[in-house]
Amino acid sequence: MVGAARTFATDQAALSLRHHLVEDFGGRGLTSSAPDVFFHMKLVDDVPKSQKEWAFKQLSVRGGAVCRQACRFAPRAVTLLNASHSGPAAAGRCLRSGFFAKPENRARAVSQWHGFAACLDMVEAREAAAGSTYDVVVLARPDLVWYRGVGPHCAHDLTRTTIHRGKPGWNSRLEWLLLMPRAQAAAILRT
């Protein structure tokens, strides 16, 4: 689970994520019968932004509430950053027009991909400790409410990467849910 904690601190978001994604998808961890879960979350949200599809107010997220919710997943690793962005600064010399011309948009994008890679680092550390590798990696946002299950892993084609996106035209098009073979995870999450 990678991204801003936002609504993850609420039971509605955290419990729906646990039930409708983790438990419904199922699978086994490297050394347990339950799936292994990893969190890389930012506790500070961006300034409120207005986009075509939604407008939200900045949320005040406390680390204790987020940590309590994360513990319900019995995670293998948790990183909680007291920041809204992580990773290197995004240079803008090549990006002078469009969405990425704005420094805050570049920072958000770099931070998002940095979070993906940092979470994959946790997965790889777990694999090294267990002396085994996962078959599948699932990437999801921690701040979504899931109203129904994704279905068990055996019902998905896990030989290829599947991206479940927002509605066409929505700005948030990539990071809602990715199901990928482990062999493709590094190429996708370290782009």
Side-chain angles (χ1 to χ4, degrees):
M1 310 299 166
V2 178
R6 293 184 183 129
T7 58
F8 180 77
T10 69
D11 284 345
Q12 183 182 19
L15 296 178
S16 72
L17 176 65
R18 192 179 86 193
H19 178 69
H20 291 302
L21 177 61
V22 176
E23 293 172 356
D24 196 47
F25 188 75
R28 296 177 42 92
L30 293 181
T31 58
S32 70
S33 60
D36 289 343
V37 178
F38 302 83
F39 287 100
H40 187 277
M41 293 187 284
K42 297 166 191 84
L43 298 176
V44 178
D45 204 358
D46 278 332
V47 297
K49 55 187 175 182
S50 176
Q51 297 172 338
K52 290 182 286 186
E53 66 272 17
W54 68 79
F56 66 85
K57 295 178 182 174
Q58 190 168 5
L59 300 175
S60 174
V61 177
R62 293 188 182 93
V66 172
C67 193
R68 279 190 295 282
Q69 294 292 12
C71 286
R72 292 176 150 181
F73 291 75
R76 289 294 174 182
V78 176
T79 297
L80 300 178
L81 302 173
N82 195 23
S84 61
H85 299 297
S86 63
R93 290 186 301 270
C94 298
L95 304 166
R96 295 180 190 208
S97 64
F99 181 80
F100 292 109
K102 295 181 179 178
E104 64 272 16
N105 292 341
R106 285 194 307 275
R108 224 180 352 261
V110 168
S111 179
Q112 181 181 45
W113 285 97
H114 179 264
F116 294 167
C119 195
L120 181 61
D121 289 344
M122 291 188 278
V123 168
E124 290 173 342
R126 175 72 184 130
E127 289 173 332
S132 183
T133 58
Y134 294 100
D135 295 324
V136 175
V137 172
V138 176
L139 176 78
R141 293 173 58 133
D143 64 338
L144 298 179
V145 173
W146 296 75
Y147 290 102
R148 67 175 195 221
V150 297
H153 58 62
C154 58
H156 297 272
D157 177 3
L158 298 174
T159 63
R160 63 186 182 88
T161 296
T162 303
I163 302 171
H164 295 274
R165 303 172 184 222
K167 295 190 306 187
W170 280 25
N171 188 18
S172 184
R173 297 274 299 148
L174 175 61
E175 84 285 12
W176 285 28
L177 176 65
L178 283 83
L179 310 173
M180 65 196 95
R182 174 62 183 93
Q184 294 177 4
I188 292 169
L189 300 177
R190 288 209 174 97
T191 296

